[in-house]
Amino acid sequence: MALASLAASLPIAATASAASAAVRLRFRVRIGRAMASSAAAGASAATGASPARVGVVQMTSVGDVDANYATCSRLTKEAAASGVKFLCFPEVFSFIGSKDGESVKLAEPLDGPIMQRYCSLAKESSMWLSLGGFQEKGPDDSHQYNTHVLIDDTGKVRSSYRKIHLFDVDVPGNMVYKESRFTSAGDTLVSVDSPFGRLGLTVCYDLRFPELYQILRFKHQAQVLLVPSAFTKITGEAHWEILLRARAIETQCYVIAAAQAGKHNEKRESYGDSIIIDPWGTVIARLPDRLSTGFAVVDLDLSKVEAVRTRMPISEHRKFDSDWKPTTI
Ligand SMILES: O=C(O)CNC(=O)[C@H](CS)NC(=O)CCC(=O)C(=O)O
């Protein structure tokens, strides 16, 4: 079969469910030619056996920890049935409150009961989970950390990253956010080796600070960047895809960005559009903003990361402050 037609015919599964009736959608997402250019990728797409099959979730979390867990559990089991080995959830997957300070009261350490449930889910499903934006108990009773937790397929917390850049922003035409009121910033960059390459962990608003991604690529040697998010509708429409593709292109990494979508309560709405981008900057999977709950799947091909880097060796071409003559401003 010609590569182009193989690429065009690879199905990407996505599921969607309305609140009452569970509606199952299957639709095709365009997939880059290079993804399908290895026989292994094509064969595993048919058998569901790829070790690097990953999924990106879109969901509408609410102010109910149990309801959100039920959604995450259902999606994880459906993804496992599609051969997914690594599923990425968005920021605040576990809880989105409608009142100020509500989530800090629910904050728990990573060995607390909420995260334990997700660890059991990962183990039962033999699935790695990226759980972006968990309300981790903070340094005092009035502050939490906004923590991206990575659980392996044995149910062990492999790594965690506390969001460094906090969203204290007056969104034009929307509301003033002051994340730092109840959240303390992290101060440590985190990357972790996995069967899906070296992963760089970030959260949401971090996306606007490219130096963080530069360090993950050039110091940590990350191959896949994770950006679980709950972008606002207004900033998401304006900036989301552009920022994500820029990070993929300038780091030559895969980018997996799980998004919250739709209305969480009467005050808060997020911009959907969960995306997976390849290291050339091509969007290879996406869930439209109008879709509330579901996931999309791709087979990561880490040889593509190396291929892009070999042909365009930006790591060798980089110049630094110390390489330039001092400038007068
Ligand atoms: O407070 C919570 O419930 C969890 N935290 C979030 O949802 C955070 C802070 S309000 N949201 C963002 O960072 C949005 C960034 C964004 O929209 C942009 O950069 O444009």
Side-chain angles (χ1 to χ4, degrees):
M1 189 191 297
L3 285 180
S5 63
L6 172 64
S9 68
L10 272 181
I12 304 295
T15 64
S17 73
S20 49
V23 183
R24 204 158 205 282
L25 293 183
R26 266 186 96 82
F27 59 91
R28 288 173 199 282
V29 178
R30 272 173 57 82
I31 187 165
R33 181 184 298 225
M35 282 279 300
S37 66
S38 99
S44 65
T47 61
S50 169
R53 180 163 294 184
V54 303
V56 68
V57 164
Q58 185 152 299
M59 65 188 289
T60 312
S61 293
V62 292
D64 179 336
V65 170
D66 289 337
N68 296 326
Y69 177 78
T71 302
C72 293
S73 166
R74 176 175 62 77
L75 292 170
T76 302
K77 285 169 187 157
E78 288 179 12
S82 309
V84 171
K85 306 288 187 211
F86 179 32
L87 190 59
C88 299
F89 286 89
E91 188 183 24
V92 283
F93 62 96
S94 170
F95 184 80
I96 291 191
S98 51
K99 294 186 212 81
D100 276 357
E102 214 179 342
S103 61
V104 78
K105 296 200 194 94
L106 297 172
E108 287 185 2
L110 300 187
D111 59 2
I114 296 179
M115 200 41 76
Q116 281 310 306
R117 271 222 278 188
Y118 284 92
C119 288
S120 304
L121 177 64
K123 189 174 175 188
E124 281 161 26
S125 314
S126 300
M127 179 93 79
W128 286 62
L129 299 177
S130 154
L131 299 169
F134 177 66
Q135 291 93 356
E136 183 192 6
K137 190 139 192 60
D140 58 57
D141 284 345
S142 49
H143 289 85
Q144 63 204 357
Y145 294 111
N146 187 344
T147 303
H148 181 166
V149 185
L150 193 79
I151 303 176
D152 72 17
D153 57 357
T154 69
K156 180 169 169 284
V157 172
R158 270 295 174 105
S159 206
S160 64
Y161 160 78
R162 293 170 175 161
K163 186 182 188 189
I164 289 177
H165 301 95
L166 300 182
F167 192 57
D168 291 350
V169 175
D170 180 355
V171 175
N174 190 242
M175 55 195 258
V176 179
Y177 289 80
K178 190 132 180 62
E179 189 175 19
S180 64
R181 195 160 153 224
F182 297 106
T183 304
S184 296
D187 60 7
T188 309
L189 278 186
V190 173
S191 60
V192 52
D193 278 323
S194 78
F196 323 97
R198 184 164 296 177
L199 310 173
L201 273 56
T202 72
V203 179
C204 198
Y205 186 52
D206 283 332
L207 176 61
R208 294 181 182 272
F209 301 89
E211 55 276 21
L212 188 149
Y213 297 86
Q214 291 286 301
I215 295 168
L216 285 172
R217 155 75 209 269
F218 293 110
K219 291 220 167 90
H220 290 237
Q221 313 300 338
Q223 295 165 302
V224 180
L225 301 170
L226 307 175
V227 196
S229 298
F231 253 56
T232 73
K233 189 94 179 150
I234 288 171
T235 57
E237 274 167 5
H239 301 153
W240 169 251
E241 178 180 343
I242 295 166
L243 289 170
L244 288 168
R245 293 186 65 200
R247 295 300 86 85
I249 293 165
E250 69 203 4
T251 62
Q252 303 173 316
C253 285
Y254 277 102
V255 170
I256 304 177
Q260 289 283 347
K263 267 184 126 30
H264 310 285
N265 54 52
E266 52 302 329
K267 283 192 294 198
R268 189 152 170 194
E269 184 174 8
S270 295
Y271 180 68
D273 201 18
S274 292
I275 279 181
I276 303 179
I277 303 168
D278 77 9
W280 185 243
T282 307
V283 175
I284 52 173
R286 112 180 298 155
L287 294 164
D289 181 39
R290 64 178 188 282
L291 179 81
S292 168
T293 307
F295 62 90
V297 175
V298 300
D299 290 324
L300 292 193
D301 179 359
L302 291 175
S303 71
K304 181 143 193 217
V305 174
E306 296 324 310
V308 169
R309 292 178 183 184
T310 303
R311 297 182 79 135
M312 193 188 282
I314 58 173
S315 61
E316 291 160 29
H317 298 158
R318 289 203 307 158
K319 301 248 202 274
F320 302 91
D321 270 10
S322 54
D323 298 318
W324 302 324
K325 291 196 174 128
T327 40
T328 44
I329 299 161

